[in-house]
C-alpha cells in the first residue's frame, strides 16, 4: 500500500507559512509563531500566538492558574524544536522544583524551545513550583481505571513534607482498603469536611513505601485527565515542518482532511488496530498491529508517512498528538506532527 498517495489524496488542504517573522517594533527581532495546545485542569484549549509578548502573557496565565491549584500542561505544535536541524533530542523527562516563579517561568520557556511537553503544578504548603517536561510521555495510559467508594480524611502517612498532625483525603473502596489521593507527585491535604456520598474517581493506583517502611496505596489523580490510548481516534491534521539542505528558512505544510473524508484508527487492548478510511469513492478497512516502544512511543505501520514509531507528545480524553523526526534525507530534515481527536464513546 502506498501510504504517501493515501495521505495526499485524503489530506488535501495545504497552508504554507514561515516559522518566524519580524516583530512589530521594527527592531529586527523575531517573534515565533506558536500554536499552543494546553490543559488547565481538565479544560483543554488551543491558542495561536504571533508575538513573544503574547507568549509571555500566556506563561503568566499558566502560572497564575497553577498557583490557584490547577495542574497545567502545554505543548507547542508549531515549530521544529529550538529551530535546530539535524539534532536528535533527548527523550528523558526533565524535572524541576523551585520556590522562584521567575525560575520556573524561564524553565518553561527553555523546555518549550526544546520541543517538550511541559506540566507544572504548585504546592501551596511549601511554596514550591514543580515541573516535568518530556519529549514523549513518560507513562502512557493504555486504559484508565476508576474506583468507587466514599471519601474520608485520614492521618497523613509518613511521606516527605507531611507532618504527623496533617489530615489527607482518601478514597475508601472496601472495609480494609484506602487510597490516598495524590496529584502530580504531591499529596493532597484535607481542607474541610468531605462529602460522605459514594463517588467514582479515575486515576492510576500505585504502591508507595513511606519513611517508616510501610506500603501505602495512592491514587494519582493527574492520570484522570490523561486519556487512554486504547479507543477510536480520527486524524484531524498533519503538519510537516521542513528545511531543505542549506535552506535557513523553516517552512510548514498543513494537511487537513478533505470534505467527506476521514481516517479513523481503533486501537484495541490486544495490540491490534483497525484503520477505516472514508472518502467520496467509498470506505476501506485495513487491519494491523500496534505497540508501545521501550521509550513509550506509539509504533504502528498503519500510521501516515511510512508508519513506524512516533513520539506521544499529548494524550488526553479528547485529543492525541504524535510527532516524528527525520534527518538527513535528500529534502533535508523534517518534523511531522499528527493530530487526532477521540471518536464518540469508544474511549
Amino acid at each position: 500500500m502506498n501510504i504517501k498517495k493515501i495521505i495526499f489524496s485524503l489530506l488535501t488542504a495545504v497552508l504554507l507559512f514561515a516559522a518566524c517573522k519580524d516583530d512589530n517594533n521594527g527592531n529586527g527581532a523575531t517573534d515565533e509563531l506558536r500554536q499552543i495546545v494546553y490543559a488547565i485542569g481538565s479544560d483543554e484549549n488551543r491558542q495561536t500566538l504571533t508575538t513573544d509578548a503574547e507568549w509571555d502573557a500566556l506563561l503568566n496565565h499558566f502560572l497564575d492558574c497553577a498557583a490557584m491549584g490547577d495542574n497545567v500542561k502545554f505543548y507547542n505544535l508549531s515549530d521544529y524544536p529550538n529551530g535546530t536541524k539535524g539534532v536528535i533530542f533527548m527523550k528523558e523527562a526533565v524535572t524541576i522544583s523551585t520556590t522562584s516563579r521567575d525560575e520556573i517561568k524561564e524553565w518553561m520557556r527553555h523546555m518549550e524551545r526544546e520541543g517538550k511537553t511541559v506540566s507544572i503544578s504548585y504546592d501551596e504548603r511549601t511554596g514550591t513550583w514543580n515541573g516535568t517536561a518530556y519529549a514523549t510521555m513518560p507513562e502512557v495510559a493504555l486504559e484508565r481505571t476508576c474506583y468507587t467508594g466514599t471519601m474520608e480524611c485520614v492521618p497523613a502517612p509518613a511521606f516527605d513534607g507531611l507532618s504527623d498532625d496533617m489530615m489527607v483525603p482518601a478514597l475508601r473502596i472496601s472495609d480494609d482498603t484506602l487510597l490516598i489521593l495524590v496529584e502530580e507527585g504531591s499529596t493532597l491535604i484535607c481542607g474541610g469536611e468531605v462529602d460522605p456520598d459514594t463517588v467514582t474517581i479515575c486515576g492510576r493506583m500505585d504502591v508507595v513505601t513511606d519513611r517508616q517502611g510501610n506500603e501505602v496505596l495512592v491514587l494519582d489523580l493527574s492520570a484522570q485527565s490523561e486519556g487512554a490510548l486504547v479507543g477510536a481516534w480520527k486524524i484531524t491534521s498533519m503538519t510537516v515542518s521542513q528545511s531543505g539542505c542549506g535552506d535557513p528558512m523553516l517552512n510548514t505544510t498543513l494537511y487537513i482532511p478533505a470534505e467527506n473524508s476521514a481516517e479513523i484508527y481503533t486501537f484495541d487492548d490486544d495490540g491490534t488496530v483497525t484503520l477505516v478510511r472514508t472518502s467520496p469513492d467509498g470506505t476501506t478497512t485495513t487491519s494491523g498491529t500496534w505497540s508501545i516502544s521501550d521509550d513509550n512511543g506509539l509504533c504502528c505501520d498503519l500510521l501516515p508517512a511510512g508508519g513506524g514509531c512516533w513520539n506521544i507528545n499529548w494524550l488526553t480524553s479528547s485529543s492525541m498528538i504524535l510527532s516524528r523526526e527525520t534527518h538527513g534525507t535528500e529534502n533535508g530534515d523534517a518534523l511531522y506532527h499528527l493530530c487526532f481527536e477521540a471518536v464518540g464513546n469508544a474511549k
Side-chain angles (χ1 to χ4, degrees):
M1 178 176 295
N2 190 321
I3 299 295
K4 183 176 182 181
K5 287 184 179 179
I6 291 172
I7 294 170
F8 279 82
S9 63
L10 173 63
L11 307 173
T12 55
V14 179
L15 172 66
L16 295 176
F17 56 86
C20 300
K21 66 183 182 66
D22 286 342
D23 67 6
N24 295 326
N25 298 324
N27 58 13
T30 58
D31 284 330
E32 295 182 17
L33 174 67
R34 293 178 174 88
Q35 297 185 42
I36 304 295
V37 55
Y38 61 91
I40 299 175
S42 60
D43 295 330
E44 185 176 335
N45 210 332
R46 299 190 184 195
Q47 189 169 339
T48 299
L49 310 175
T50 59
T51 70
D52 288 339
E54 291 174 343
W55 177 223
D56 188 74
L58 187 57
L59 286 173
N60 281 324
H61 178 62
F62 290 160
L63 290 169
D64 290 342
C65 291
M68 295 177 63
D70 287 312
N71 289 290
V72 179
K73 183 172 70 171
F74 67 86
Y75 178 68
N76 182 6
L77 269 167
S78 303
D79 204 356
Y80 210 97
N82 207 22
T84 305
K85 290 76 176 177
V87 176
I88 299 176
F89 292 86
M90 301 299 291
K91 292 186 177 181
E92 288 81 3
V94 180
T95 61
I96 187 176
S97 292
T98 177
T99 57
S100 169
R101 178 176 171 128
D102 290 339
E103 183 180 2
I104 190 70
K105 183 177 178 182
E106 182 56 34
W107 179 85
M108 291 161 67
R109 288 182 183 277
H110 180 69
M111 292 298 104
E112 178 270 334
R113 286 194 297 268
E114 292 294 326
K116 296 183 183 295
T117 304
V118 179
S119 176
I120 61 167
S121 63
Y122 181 72
D123 188 339
E124 185 177 7
R125 294 178 292 110
T126 61
T128 302
W129 302 92
N130 297 300
T132 303
Y134 49 84
T136 188
M137 293 188 69
E139 293 185 9
V140 178
L142 300 183
E143 48 189 348
R144 291 178 294 176
T145 304
C146 297
Y147 302 88
T148 299
T150 56
M151 293 298 301
E152 298 181 11
C153 280
V154 301
F159 290 163
D160 291 339
L162 300 182
S163 60
D164 294 338
D165 60 345
M166 285 184 175
M167 301 292 287
V168 298
L171 179 69
R172 181 173 292 281
I173 59 176
S174 69
D175 290 342
D176 56 0
T177 304
L178 277 171
L179 305 180
I180 305 297
L181 303 188
V182 302
E183 194 164 19
E184 294 290 341
S186 299
T187 308
L188 303 183
I189 303 298
C190 284
E193 296 293 328
V194 297
D195 190 342
D197 292 340
T198 300
V199 297
T200 298
I201 301 178
C202 302
R204 185 182 66 249
M205 183 169 66
D206 297 315
V207 179
V208 178
T209 302
D210 67 12
R211 295 193 308 269
Q212 298 174 356
N214 301 314
E215 290 189 345
V216 180
L217 293 176
V218 301
L219 184 61
D220 187 350
L221 301 185
S222 57
Q224 73 176 337
S225 62
E226 302 292 341
L229 196 152
V230 171
W233 297 91
K234 178 174 67 175
I235 291 181
T236 57
S237 68
M238 184 176 76
T239 58
V240 184
S241 298
Q242 190 166 28
S243 178
C245 297
D247 184 356
M249 181 64 73
L250 184 72
N251 290 322
T252 297
T253 305
L254 168 67
Y255 304 92
I256 61 175
E259 187 176 358
N260 300 322
S261 299
E263 291 190 7
I264 297 178
Y265 292 77
T266 300
F267 298 99
D268 291 319
D269 56 10
D270 62 358
T272 61
V273 58
T274 302
L275 168 59
V276 177
R277 293 188 178 95
T278 303
S279 71
D281 296 329
T283 299
T284 60
T285 301
T286 308
S287 298
T289 60
W290 68 278
S291 62
I292 299 297
S293 65
D294 290 341
D295 56 4
N296 294 312
L298 172 59
C299 303
C300 177
D301 287 341
L302 298 186
L303 291 173
C309 296
W310 293 64
N311 296 330
I312 305 174
N313 303 110
W314 190 268
L315 180 60
T316 68
S317 60
S318 58
S319 63
M320 176 167 62
I321 299 172
L322 309 179
S323 70
R324 192 181 69 182
E325 299 171 46
T326 61
H327 300 278
T329 69
E330 62 180 8
N331 295 320
D333 300 331
L335 173 67
Y336 293 82
H337 272 122
L338 191 57
C339 298
F340 297 81
E341 67 177 20
V343 177
N345 296 319
K347 287 179 59 58

